[in-house]
């Protein structure tokens, strides 16, 4: 018996010597300054993004000066994720040590064991506890953590302030409810000359994506709490579609062109032909950079109804083949680059100096705490946009519950695309029948799914 006790004590001693602190025996001690580590990191800004790529290279140089034992090797690709190769690369173990992911993909990756559990090493990430809990939760599963965020957004009501004024609406008091949106859309479309009051997406899975956003705004859910059945065909789902049907066919405030995608509504908004659509703050950048829009013409309000809104974004996960040293070095890089106000992607002063837009309320990575307040103060100090136009959205941000996309989002979005497009293209569309058919197809998707 004594020998068994001694063996147990020795084993415990060995684990303690490795820095184990409840991390399942993992070495959780800080990375030694003399430990040489190389990490590959996905989603380095593409060459076409000259300012962002310059800033990335500056950040890598600054980080490596602080930590000469760590070498950061950026891997660029445009887009950062190619849906045609992403799953094959994951399954084949060909991803970077720190690979880029959308929030939508995290659950599936964790369920398939395609990412490392970084929980034992998080004690060294000072700002992890200051992240917005809704954002932090994206990378958590059963109490374990599998990644860190880079960008996030929630959906709101994006609107054209110039058209609001022309229609006699107050651009500083945007609609807060769906009936108010409907009324404002009618006023704007009554301006004539092809002006559309409100536009909705209904193609390339984007109709299902926006249906989900509107469903959340009404307090609905896409799936049951256990994720085994769809739940979008309740009163809230019918209300979403009835509002669209009323605006399209009764009010004639949505125009005749349908089957729209995001680029279509951005072009319409930039051309002064559209009053409102659902979107995230970074639509303003797309309107200005891609469609010659003017920041001063745009504003954002919280999502109408405000019972919930869709939370999206991206971040980094770690290869399951990454060594403990690579995970430690990777976390040090992410804290330096992604989640420290005043540094890396949150260096607003540098971004403004490089001629980049500063002031949009995106990303909003942190909660209402000291780190979050510092981030907002630094952003405001370097703002070069009319930030007051986005104040209704930002002021309401914390009060609108943020909800993640459903499991198997793209498959469900594809099913719901046909529902939304039918309502917008067929005057006699039967909402109950469309939702019943979509529910049957959606339930089949969930039943076939592994997770």
């Amino acid at each position: 018996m004594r020998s068994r006790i001694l063996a147990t004590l020795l084993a415990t001693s060995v684990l303690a010597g490795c820095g184990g602190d409840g991390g399942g025996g993992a070495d959780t001690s800080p990375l030694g300054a003399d430990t040489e580590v190389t990490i590959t990191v996905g989603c380095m800004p593409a060459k076409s993004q000259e300012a962002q790529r310059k800033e990335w290279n500056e950040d890598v140089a600054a980080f490596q000066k602080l930590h000469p034992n760590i070498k950061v090797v950026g891997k660029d690709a445009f887009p950062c994720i190619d849906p045609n190769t992403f799953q094959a690369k994951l399954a084949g173990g060909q991803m970077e040590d720190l690979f880029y992911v959308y929030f939508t993909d995290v659950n599936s990756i964790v369920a398939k064991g395609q990412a490392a559990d970084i929980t034992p090493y998080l004690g060294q990430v000072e700002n992890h506890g200051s992240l917005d809990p809704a954002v932090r939760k994206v990378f958590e599963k059963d109490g374990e953590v599998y990644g860190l965020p880079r960008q996030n957004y929630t959906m709101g009501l994006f609107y054209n302030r110039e058209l609001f004024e022309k229609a006699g609406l107050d651009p500083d008091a945007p609609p807060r409810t769906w009936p108010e949106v409907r009324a404002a859309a009618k006023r704007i479309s009554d301006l004539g000359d092809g002006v559309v009051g409100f536009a909705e997406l209904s193609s390339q899975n984007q109709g299902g994506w926006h249906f989900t956003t509107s469903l959340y705004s009404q307090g609905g859910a896409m799936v049951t709490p256990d994720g085994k059945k769809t739940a979008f065909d309740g009163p809230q789902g019918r209300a979403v579609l009835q509002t669209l049907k009323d605006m399209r066919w009764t009010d004639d405030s949505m125009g005749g062109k349908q089957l729209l995608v995001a680029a279509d509504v951005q072009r319409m908004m930039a051309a002064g032909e559209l009053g409102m659509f659902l979107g995230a703050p970074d639509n303003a950048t797309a309107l200005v950079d891609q469609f010659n829009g003017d920041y001063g013409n745009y504003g954002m309000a919280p999502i109408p109804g405000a019972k919930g809104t869709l939370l999206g974004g991206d971040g980094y996960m770690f290869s399951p083949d990454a060594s403990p040293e690579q995970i430690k070095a990777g976390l040090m890089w992410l804290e330096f680059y992604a989640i420290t106000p005043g540094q890396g992607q949150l260096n607003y002063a540098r971004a403004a100096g490089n001629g980049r837009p500063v002031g949009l309320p995106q990303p909003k990575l942190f909660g209402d705490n000291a780190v979050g307040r510092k981030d907002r103060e630094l952003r405001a100090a370097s703002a070069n946009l009319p930030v007051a136009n986005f104040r209704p959205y930002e002021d309401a941000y914390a009060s609108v519950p943020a909800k993640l996309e459903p499991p198997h989002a793209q498959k469900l979005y594809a099913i719901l695309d046909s529902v939304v497009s039918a309502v917008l293209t067929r005057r006699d569309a039967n909402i109950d029948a469309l939702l019943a058919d979509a529910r049957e197809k959606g339930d089949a998707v969930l039943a076939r799914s592994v997770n």
Side-chain angles (χ1 to χ4, degrees), residues 84-368:
N84 296 317
T85 60
F86 181 66
Q87 286 300 330
K89 289 178 66 177
L90 262 179
Q94 300 172 28
M95 302 300 283
E96 298 85 2
D97 300 318
L98 280 71
F99 61 91
Y100 173 87
V101 294
Y102 296 139
F103 285 0
T104 319
D105 297 318
V106 170
N107 281 337
S108 173
I109 291 171
V110 173
K112 294 175 182 175
Q114 294 171 322
D117 177 4
I118 62 172
T119 314
Y121 312 101
L122 283 175
Q124 299 165 39
V125 183
E126 185 177 348
N127 287 337
H128 181 255
S130 298
L131 293 171
D132 182 336
V135 176
R136 197 171 57 218
K137 187 179 177 182
V138 172
F139 292 95
E140 297 176 354
K141 178 73 171 179
D142 298 330
E144 310 295 343
V145 180
Y146 293 87
L148 293 178
R150 188 196 71 151
Q151 291 278 328
N152 70 308
Y153 67 88
T154 61
M155 300 287 274
L157 181 70
F158 201 94
Y159 62 97
N160 187 315
R161 293 175 59 88
E162 190 174 31
L163 285 182
F164 264 55
E165 290 180 348
K166 288 182 178 178
L169 300 166
D170 183 354
D172 293 324
R176 295 297 185 116
T177 67
W178 280 107
E180 290 178 1
V181 169
R182 182 180 174 186
K186 185 69 171 68
R187 293 270 295 270
I188 294 168
S189 65
D190 284 347
L191 291 171
D193 292 330
V195 172
V196 173
F198 181 84
E200 187 50 284
L201 315 182
S202 56
S203 186
Q204 299 181 16
N205 295 5
Q206 296 177 20
W209 171 43
H210 270 214
F211 172 87
T212 303
T213 301
S214 295
L215 182 70
Y216 289 171
S217 80
Q218 303 258 12
M222 283 288 285
V223 299
T224 54
D226 62 8
K228 295 181 178 179
K229 294 284 186 179
T230 60
F232 51 66
D233 62 329
Q236 296 91 351
R238 288 194 292 277
V240 169
L241 297 174
Q242 189 62 55
T243 298
L244 292 177
K245 190 173 184 180
D246 290 341
M247 287 197 288
R248 171 72 175 94
W249 300 107
T250 302
D251 300 344
D252 193 22
S253 60
M254 298 186 68
K257 184 180 180 182
Q258 299 302 328
L259 304 179
L260 303 173
V261 296
D264 295 322
V265 299
Q266 290 169 346
R267 180 194 55 74
M268 293 164 64
M269 179 70 79
E273 300 170 352
L274 173 62
M276 298 174 284
F277 66 92
L278 300 182
D282 64 350
N283 272 278
T285 303
L287 288 165
V288 173
D289 290 351
Q290 300 175 31
F291 300 99
N292 298 317
D294 183 339
Y295 282 110
N297 285 344
Y298 312 124
M300 268 202 78
I303 196 81
K307 293 182 179 177
T309 188
L310 188 144
L311 165 68
D314 58 53
Y316 285 96
M317 303 180 79
F318 291 73
S319 166
D321 297 326
S323 69
E325 290 75 20
Q326 288 174 313
I327 294 176
K328 294 175 187 178
L331 288 172
M332 293 166 69
W333 162 250
L334 289 181
E335 177 148 61
F336 177 90
Y337 170 72
I339 61 170
T340 297
Q343 292 184 185
Q345 67 162 353
L346 304 181
N347 186 339
Y348 303 111
R350 180 181 64 180
N354 286 336
R356 297 176 56 203
V358 175
L360 294 176
Q362 182 182 344
K364 289 182 69 67
L365 295 169
F366 307 104
D368 185 13

Side-chain angles (χ1 to χ4, degrees), residues 401-414:
K403 301 177 67 173
L404 290 171
E405 295 179 271
H408 311 288
Q410 294 303 325
K411 292 178 181 177
L412 295 181
Y413 292 169

Side-chain angles (χ1 to χ4, degrees), residues 47 49 58 239 264 269:
K47 292 180 180 177
Q49 298 173 296
E58 290 172 355
D264 295 322
M269 179 70 79

Side-chain angles (χ1 to χ4, degrees), residues 367-378:
D368 185 13
N369 49 52
V371 177
R373 288 190 287 275
K374 180 179 180 181
D375 184 55
R376 287 190 290 275
E377 289 169 3
L378 291 173

